Amino acid sequence: MSDKTDEQLVENQIVEQEFNALLDDYLSSNHRRKVELITRAFNFANQAHKGAKRRSGEPYIMHPLAVARVVSKEMGLGSTSICSALLHDVVEDTEYTVEDIKSLFGEKIATIVDGLTKISGGVFGEQASAQAENFRKLLLTMSEDIRVILIKIADRLHNMRTLDSMLPAKQLKIAGETLYIYAPMAHRLGLFSIKSELEDLSFKYEHPDEYKQICDKLNATAYLRNTLYENFSAPLLPKLNELGIPYEMKERVKSVYSIWNKMQVKNIPFEEIYDIFAVRIIFDYKPGMDEKKVCWDIYSVVTDLYRIRPDRIRDWVSRPKANGYQALHVTVMGPDGQWIEVQIRSSRMDDIAEKGFAAHWKYKEGNIEEDTELDKWLETIQEILENPSPNALDFLDTIKMNLFSAEIFVFTPKGDLKTLPQEATIVDFAYSLHTNIGNQCIGAKVNHRLVPLSYKLQSGDQVEVLTSRSQKPKEEWLSFVTTARARTKIELALKKQRKDYIKQGEKLLTEAMEKEGLNDVPGFFDQLIAHFGFAHADEFYCLLGRGDFTLPESLKRFSKDKSDFSIVRYVKRALNAVTNSKSEAKEPEALPEKSEEIILDKKKPYILKCEGNKRNYVIAKCCNPIPGDEVLGFVDNNEVTVHKRSCPIAMRLKSSFGERIITTKWAAHSTTSFPATIEIKGIDRVGVLNEISQVISQKSVNIRMLHIDTLDGIFTGQVEILVHDVDEIATLRNGISKIKSVKSVKRIDR
């Protein structure tokens, strides 16, 4: 009994210390002092969660306290948000209701807690339809009060910080949906430091080995970066001091996930990433100061001393990013012969960059509420919510189009500025102006030059959209639009068009049947559409109404014709024959027997075995993993499909079907071969191909295909080989890289 009492006392002390730390965070901010309200909220939550424990064994109240500290210290929010964070699990996990919260803490806090309760259990449920519905709820509550999503992100951040206590399969699921939704959401809301931490933590659990390798390399090269910074800053500091403005200069190191992501996108090793290091100059902000002028004064000092790279100047001071980010970026040649990015911003801009839109409120004067880019974004979200895609994954992807995209700035003929995502086309621009302009656009003049609808816009383009009243949105537009607004409007218009075509087709058939007196013939219509190979009546009516299908001159013969002839069936049969012949040419792959039941133990990894020709798994064609790759399993129709953890398809599966994700482990595959492709680049010379072939044959690796192109003295080769695991590829790469004139050897996905 005494041991339990002592344990309780220790727990109470820990909880008390954490609460006092929260109050210290709050009192060091410039918010109004509502300590009594926060204390009441804490005492209420502490009592409500009394006796409850987290999976890690600590008292449950430590989680709401940690979330409240993130909300206060890292987001800069005030007492309403802190109280809501403390109370965010009370309604879901205890007997208390939203009405109880409302009577004790008021309307605002109750509304936020209610919003957080509606989206409880994460953005995603267990089924696709539930995922889309939960995500829709999240966005709706976010548009009512942005603090709902800010607290939800804080909640996810603390869950990620304490993910160690979860089972491996659960870790993959949570890390996957964090990277898929929460990190982009934090980015869009300007929470840069939180976004980076969410990405790094997700990466740590999804790719632990690669995470450790990059961390080790960053630590190993820290001395070189410090030397580079010292050499760069030494002559610059006296010049900056002459400006007479208080400032701070520091180095910034790229996040682990950003480094890895760049390595993947550009297919380059760690050693070839040159923007790991940057210099940040932050000057003190005073109300009423001309921040833009000070930024350019500092820019002048830097560029007077160092030579600039003209294509790497980014002015986000004059025109902030959509997430509120402001800074002036310039890349210069440092004294050690390396390009160095310099980021110039005020302490106000730095606050907004780290804490996001919440920091805007700190600097607002009076009661003026400005129309921000965030408000425009929320309006777009509302439009999508009005006409959501019936497919849950498509719906999530449509939302993501608006969450995480680099921006370009485009001008109308009158000089108005429009912000669009990179890769945006004429159609995207047209819909950003007005729905009718988008629906009727036929082309455009960009910088007075005629371009097609699929033309990708560049920053600074001046665009005049050309329209026609006879134009209607086309299905093919969906293949090149990039904005969620354009996609939603096109899909809505196509849906309406389809309804009109079905109506018209129905009318045409009815008239034709009446003309020949076939209205009363039982089963005639079913026989007719079956004859032409249509599965659904709507499909038949739509093609007929659109003019893509014409009725024969006489329908009467179909009431007697019992033959199974069908043009559509004939075409389908021909296509199937082609598909089958192609698949037969591929290497056969044995799949698990359908009758075998896969029994999974979530606590143990699923062993991927291959005995003879029979495998207990299926290789995903999207990423073609081989033994040694970090992989996960997806259970579907009593089969385990194996994906690389970094595969984009796997990311969607983790986010959307988390309960069907399992951890996997390769068994020894000494007799089974897997296809892989390596890319070799180097300086062309006589005999280099022969040397490459010799190295491959010496390593006892079978070549399936070898293709080499040369251009201007440089060769690029792709070799498809059969290997047992990734170690064989590493050995082969090392051997080929030793050949004189070979500059790079890397594995690529085909």
Side-chain angles (χ1 to χ4, degrees):
M1 186 73 179
S2 175
D3 289 345
K4 277 195 173 182
T5 308
D6 290 345
E7 186 184 330
Q8 189 64 50
L9 283 170
V10 171
E11 283 185 358
N12 290 344
Q13 284 176 353
I14 293 169
V15 171
E16 197 64 35
Q17 283 172 4
E18 189 69 7
F19 176 61
N20 288 332
L22 169 63
L23 288 181
D24 290 343
D25 294 340
Y26 174 65
L27 291 170
S28 64
S29 72
N30 63 351
H31 287 285
R32 285 179 292 174
R33 303 290 179 257
K34 291 190 177 179
V35 175
E36 187 271 333
L37 179 67
I38 294 171
T39 305
R40 273 201 301 120
F42 163 69
N43 289 333
F44 181 79
N46 195 17
Q47 184 60 36
H49 294 299
K50 191 173 183 180
K53 302 271 187 182
R54 297 194 82 208
R55 184 180 276 272
S56 59
E58 67 180 5
Y60 191 86
I61 189 64
M62 293 296 285
H63 170 63
L65 274 169
V67 174
R69 288 199 69 185
V70 172
V71 162
S72 175
K73 190 176 183 180
E74 299 178 52
M75 292 183 175
L77 300 177
S79 58
T80 301
S81 301
I82 292 169
C83 291
S84 301
L86 288 168
L87 300 164
H88 80 272
D89 279 335
V90 167
V91 174
E92 184 191 353
D93 293 345
T94 73
E95 299 299 316
Y96 291 103
T97 65
V98 174
E99 288 303 315
D100 296 329
I101 304 291
K102 187 177 177 181
S103 63
L104 289 167
F105 300 100
E107 180 87 38
K108 265 188 184 176
I109 291 172
T111 301
I112 295 170
V113 171
D114 187 34
L116 288 160
T117 306
K118 282 175 183 170
I119 53 172
S120 61
V123 172
F124 304 96
E126 296 197 9
Q127 297 168 355
S129 57
Q131 290 153 11
E133 190 52 44
N134 278 340
F135 196 34
R136 202 172 291 128
K137 282 179 189 171
L138 180 143
L139 294 165
L140 282 168
T141 51
M142 182 177 81
S143 58
E144 288 167 12
D145 194 322
I146 194 68
R147 286 172 291 197
V148 172
I149 189 59
L150 290 171
I151 296 167
K152 192 65 188 172
I153 289 170
D155 177 47
R156 177 48 59 107
L157 179 61
H158 183 245
N159 284 335
M160 287 301 296
R161 285 172 176 173
T162 55
L163 201 57
D164 273 335
S165 57
M166 292 289 184
L167 293 171
K170 195 79 171 172
Q171 288 175 348
L172 285 177
K173 174 193 180 296
I174 293 171
E177 72 179 28
T178 298
L179 207 53
Y180 190 70
I181 291 295
Y182 285 94
M185 191 81 79
H187 172 82
R188 186 62 192 218
L189 295 172
L191 302 162
F192 181 78
S193 58
I194 287 176
K195 168 243 179 192
S196 297
E197 189 177 349
L198 287 173
E199 288 176 339
D200 277 0
L201 287 168
S202 298
F203 178 53
K204 177 185 170 184
Y205 286 101
E206 292 200 315
H207 304 279
D209 293 339
E210 291 176 49
Y211 178 84
K212 186 178 182 302
Q213 284 170 16
I214 293 173
C215 286
D216 290 345
K217 286 179 180 178
L218 281 173
N219 292 332
T221 54
Y223 173 75
L224 294 173
R225 286 194 303 277
N226 289 337
T227 305
L228 194 65
Y229 174 73
E230 294 298 331
N231 293 345
F232 177 82
S233 60
L236 187 58
L237 289 168
K239 301 282 185 185
L240 288 171
N241 292 337
E242 289 174 15
L243 291 175
I245 301 163
Y247 72 92
E248 175 193 12
M249 185 158 77
K250 57 186 180 183
E251 60 177 309
R252 180 230 58 153
V253 179
K254 209 175 185 73
S255 72
V256 176
Y257 175 77
S258 295
I259 292 169
W260 176 79
N261 201 39
K262 194 157 194 176
M263 287 165 63
Q264 301 305 304
V265 171
K266 294 191 175 273
N267 248 321
I268 53 175
F270 176 89
E271 291 71 24
E272 288 182 30
I273 296 180
Y274 299 113
D275 62 345
I276 287 175
F277 163 81
V279 172
R280 195 169 280 167
I281 301 171
I282 303 162
F283 59 90
D284 284 1
Y285 168 80
K286 291 182 177 62
M289 81 183 304
D290 189 344
E291 293 169 281
K292 187 176 174 182
K293 181 181 180 303
V294 178
C295 284
W296 285 105
D297 286 346
I298 293 172
Y299 167 87
S300 296
V301 171
V302 174
T303 54
D304 282 348
L305 199 59
Y306 297 115
R307 190 159 50 88
I308 68 165
R309 184 170 164 177
D311 62 327
R312 294 293 296 166
I313 297 173
R314 301 287 182 266
D315 178 10
W316 286 305
V317 176
S318 306
R319 180 71 184 177
K321 286 187 177 184
N323 61 10
Y325 179 82
Q326 279 185 287
L328 182 60
H329 290 198
V330 58
T331 300
V332 296
M333 178 62 75
D336 296 289
Q338 283 199 23
W339 291 112
I340 295 173
E341 184 181 72
V342 182
Q343 302 169 356
I344 305 164
R345 60 207 201 194
S346 69
S347 55
R348 180 192 70 85
M349 295 174 188
D350 188 60
D351 213 7
I352 290 167
E354 296 302 313
K355 293 181 179 175
F357 272 108
H360 276 289
W361 307 333
K362 180 176 168 183
Y363 296 97
K364 279 186 179 173
E365 296 172 15
N367 294 315
I368 299 166
E369 287 290 332
E370 298 172 2
D371 286 334
T372 63
E373 287 289 338
L374 181 67
D375 295 328
K376 294 175 191 172
W377 177 60
L378 290 175
E379 281 174 27
T380 308
I381 295 292
Q382 285 284 46
E383 284 181 17
I384 297 164
L385 292 169
E386 287 167 16
N387 304 287
S389 170
N391 180 289
L393 293 179
D394 288 348
F395 174 70
L396 294 174
D397 282 345
T398 303
I399 294 292
K400 275 203 73 181
M401 290 167 82
N402 267 54
L403 287 183
F404 213 11
S405 52
E407 292 145 348
I408 58 169
F409 304 111
V410 184
F411 295 92
T412 67
K414 291 181 180 178
D416 295 330
L417 197 63
K418 287 282 176 185
T419 306
L420 291 168
Q422 237 171 28
E423 306 280 301
T425 62
I426 299 300
V427 176
D428 293 304
F429 177 76
Y431 277 107
S432 75
L433 299 173
H434 195 279
T435 302
N436 288 343
I437 295 175
N439 287 342
Q440 297 174 0
C441 65
I442 54 171
K445 287 183 179 177
V446 174
N447 307 325
H448 308 291
R449 185 169 59 87
L450 198 63
V451 297
L453 293 175
S454 58
Y455 178 83
K456 289 180 181 176
L457 296 165
Q458 306 291 320
S459 250
D461 281 346
Q462 189 169 33
V463 188
E464 179 190 351
V465 179
L466 306 175
T467 60
S468 166
R469 286 186 180 180
S470 62
Q471 176 69 301
K472 288 181 180 177
K474 303 279 195 298
E475 191 100 31
E476 57 264 29
W477 292 5
L478 293 171
S479 65
F480 56 74
V481 293
T482 61
T483 59
R485 178 188 171 90
R487 180 171 291 278
T488 306
K489 294 294 181 186
I490 294 165
E491 285 174 347
L492 191 64
L494 291 173
K495 203 183 287 181
K496 186 178 180 300
Q497 280 178 38
R498 182 176 166 81
K499 280 182 182 175
D500 292 343
Y501 288 139
I502 289 170
K503 204 172 179 181
Q504 178 64 16
E506 206 169 346
K507 184 184 172 188
L508 287 170
L509 183 64
T510 304
E511 287 174 355
M513 286 172 69
E514 280 177 357
K515 188 178 174 184
E516 298 192 49
L518 294 168
N519 278 359
D520 299 326
V521 177
F524 173 72
F525 176 68
D526 292 337
Q527 192 178 332
L528 182 69
I529 66 166
H531 178 87
F532 286 107
F534 291 99
H536 302 287
D538 282 356
E539 187 185 348
F540 175 77
Y541 286 138
C542 185
L543 289 176
L544 186 61
R546 199 162 60 199
D548 292 343
F549 177 79
T550 309
L551 289 171
E553 288 183 15
S554 171
L555 292 175
K556 278 193 174 176
R557 72 183 184 88
F558 293 103
S559 62
K560 298 167 187 175
D561 189 3
K562 303 292 181 186
S563 71
D564 194 35
F565 172 78
S566 158
I567 293 172
V568 178
R569 283 201 191 96
Y570 176 78
V571 172
K572 283 180 181 174
R573 245 195 322 266
L575 286 171
N576 286 338
V578 173
T579 309
N580 291 337
S581 67
K582 282 184 180 177
S583 62
E584 283 166 13
K586 291 181 182 175
E587 192 177 320
E589 184 177 280
L591 305 180
E593 295 291 331
K594 291 284 183 183
S595 58
E596 291 179 6
E597 187 179 353
I598 295 173
I599 300 169
L600 301 171
D601 182 347
K602 287 281 183 181
K603 295 181 182 178
K604 295 177 184 175
Y606 182 74
I607 307 296
L608 305 172
K609 294 182 293 188
C610 181
E611 295 163 5
N613 262 340
K614 194 173 178 183
R615 296 180 184 177
N616 68 344
Y617 60 91
V618 181
I619 291 287
K621 295 298 180 189
C622 48
C623 53
N624 288 314
I626 66 174
D629 284 331
E630 290 182 316
V631 291
L632 54 80
F634 176 65
V635 182
D636 188 29
N637 290 332
N638 210 33
E639 288 180 352
V640 174
T641 304
V642 182
H643 290 263
K644 281 185 188 174
R645 289 189 187 179
S646 57
C647 169
I649 303 297
M651 185 174 287
R652 290 184 78 194
L653 294 173
K654 279 181 285 185
S655 308
S656 313
F657 303 99
E659 298 308 312
R660 287 154 67 181
I661 295 294
I662 56 170
T663 50
T664 53
K665 188 178 179 182
W666 293 104
H669 284 76
S670 55
T671 57
T672 312
S673 295
F674 296 81
T677 305
I678 57 171
E679 184 181 78
I680 308 164
K681 288 185 179 179
I683 298 163
D684 191 23
R685 62 176 173 80
V686 176
V688 70
L689 176 58
N690 184 42
E691 289 177 42
I692 291 170
S693 301
Q694 280 182 2
V695 170
I696 296 173
S697 61
Q698 284 167 10
K699 304 294 181 187
S700 301
V701 173
N702 289 328
I703 300 176
R704 292 179 74 182
M705 183 273 292
L706 173 61
H707 178 80
I708 290 190
D709 289 320
T710 59
L711 180 65
D712 299 331
I714 303 294
F715 78 85
T716 302
Q718 285 193 359
V719 188
E720 196 174 311
I721 51 179
L722 288 172
V723 293
H724 297 110
D725 53 38
V726 291
D727 291 338
E728 282 192 6
I729 296 178
T731 306
L732 186 61
R733 283 176 58 190
N734 289 337
I736 295 173
S737 61
K738 289 173 184 172
I739 296 172
K740 188 182 175 184
S741 78
V742 168
K743 298 302 176 187
S744 74
V745 188
K746 61 192 175 191
R747 178 185 166 194
I748 59 171
D749 292 327
R750 287 297 296 267

